[in-house]
Amino acid sequence: MSFRPLPLTPELHAYLLDHCTPPDEVTAELIAETRSALPDNARMQVAPEEAAFLRILTAVMGVRRAVEVGTFTGLSSLSIARGLADGGRLICFDISEEFTSVARRYWKRAGIDDRIELRIGPAAARLGELPAEPHLDLVFIDADKESYQTYWEALVPRVRPGGVLLIDNTLWSGQVLNPQSVDDHAITAFNDMVIADKRVELVIVPIADGLTIARRLP
Ligand SMILES: C[S@@+](CC[C@H](N)C(=O)[O-])C[C@H]1O[C@@H](n2cnc3c(N)ncnc32)[C@H](O)[C@@H]1O
């Protein structure tokens, strides 16, 4: 018997949220402030269950060196930073001072700002500042979709064997089945590229908008 995927109805999604560890006070306030202060952009924030997933995976992997591309107001970075092993560091790349000023405030409130370094500017250029050798345990990519392939090519060689790249929005509200816009095509081209990349093995987890988990092979 073949497996039938679950339809994630609003009711089932609400049940799922009720049975995941809830956001703590700082996280809940960051989510609320982003929704109230930036209503037009708030949908860019990772989903609460994805934030929990990022924290748990980071902790399970014992991550010491992580990179994020696309920080916005800081929910994913807060989650990754909280999961880091002792002495672990997260380098964040984003183009916006405005959005990341919110992130900085919440990192400080959570007491994890000393684990995070923020680099402002177009990530395609700034990723070249990272050491070229494979040294990263974890990468999270969640910025402009047209540059996903560029970020992938810059970061795969920098991930150690056994390390992981996480790429957000790879199911893209289902538009991968019917790509129309430039971003739709960017995501489908990215998915087609990475499935053919022999440097990794990967799975798309249907959490939130789809999250690709790619493990760097030895
Ligand atoms: C989807 S949001 C990231 C959401 C974030 N991961 C969170 O959990 O809240 C995308 C971010 O990518 C940033 N961005 C867009 N183009 C960029 C570029 N060329 N270089 C670096 N960051 C970029 C935007 O400023 C925005 O903050």
Side-chain angles (χ1 to χ4, degrees), residues 51-68:
F53 182 85
L54 291 172
R55 184 181 68 250
I56 292 168
L57 181 71
T58 305
V60 165
M61 287 180 63
V63 171
R64 295 182 57 80
R65 278 167 294 199
V67 159
E68 171 179 272

Side-chain angles (χ1 to χ4, degrees), residues 44-46 70-72 76 94-96 99 121-123 142-144 151:
M44 294 205 293
Q45 188 172 58
V46 292
T71 296
F72 188 45
S76 51
D94 201 288
I95 206 165
S96 169
F99 293 152
D142 185 21
D144 50 316
Y151 301 148

Side-chain angles (χ1 to χ4, degrees), residues 32-40 98 102:
E33 176 175 337
T34 302
R35 288 177 183 171
S36 64
L38 296 164
D40 295 338
E98 181 200 348
V102 180

Side-chain angles (χ1 to χ4, degrees), residues 22 49 51 56 72 76 110 123-124 129 135 142 156 158 193:
E49 65 271 33
I56 292 168
F72 188 45
S76 51
E129 297 167 4
H135 66 289
D142 185 21
V156 170
R158 292 176 160 96
M193 181 191 76

Side-chain angles (χ1 to χ4, degrees), residues 151-160 165 197 199-200 216:
Y151 301 148
W152 177 265
E153 290 304 348
L155 289 166
V156 170
R158 292 176 160 96
V159 173
R160 65 162 172 84
L165 299 101
D197 192 328
R199 296 172 295 180
V200 297
R216 181 85 204 267

Side-chain angles (χ1 to χ4, degrees), residues 99-119:
F99 293 152
T100 56
S101 65
V102 180
R104 286 187 199 274
R105 266 197 288 119
Y106 279 89
W107 296 338
K108 201 168 179 53
R109 276 193 57 190
I112 46 97
D113 51 324
D114 59 339
R115 300 177 206 173
I116 303 178
E117 179 190 342
L118 176 62
R119 300 189 186 180

Side-chain angles (χ1 to χ4, degrees), residues 78-194:
L78 179 69
S79 309
I80 293 167
R82 278 184 158 153
L84 290 171
D86 284 351
R89 301 271 302 162
L90 169 65
I91 303 178
C92 291
F93 293 87
D94 201 288
I95 206 165
S96 169
E97 288 279 8
E98 181 200 348
F99 293 152
T100 56
S101 65
V102 180
R104 286 187 199 274
R105 266 197 288 119
Y106 279 89
W107 296 338
K108 201 168 179 53
R109 276 193 57 190
I112 46 97
D113 51 324
D114 59 339
R115 300 177 206 173
I116 303 178
E117 179 190 342
L118 176 62
R119 300 189 186 180
I120 296 290
R126 299 222 56 182
L127 286 173
E129 297 167 4
L130 295 169
E133 70 267 16
H135 66 289
L136 298 172
D137 303 308
L138 184 86
V139 161
F140 179 57
I141 299 175
D142 185 21
D144 50 316
K145 308 312 168 198
E146 283 178 76
S147 302
Y148 267 26
Q149 294 197 32
T150 303
Y151 301 148
W152 177 265
E153 290 304 348
L155 289 166
V156 170
R158 292 176 160 96
V159 173
R160 65 162 172 84
V164 161
L165 299 101
L166 305 172
I167 303 90
D168 203 19
N169 306 109
T170 49
L171 293 178
W172 202 232
S173 305
Q175 283 303 112
V176 286
L177 296 181
N178 180 29
Q180 305 279 331
S181 72
V182 170
D183 280 351
D184 297 351
H185 285 287
I187 292 287
T188 55
F190 175 80
N191 287 338
D192 290 345
M193 181 191 76
V194 298

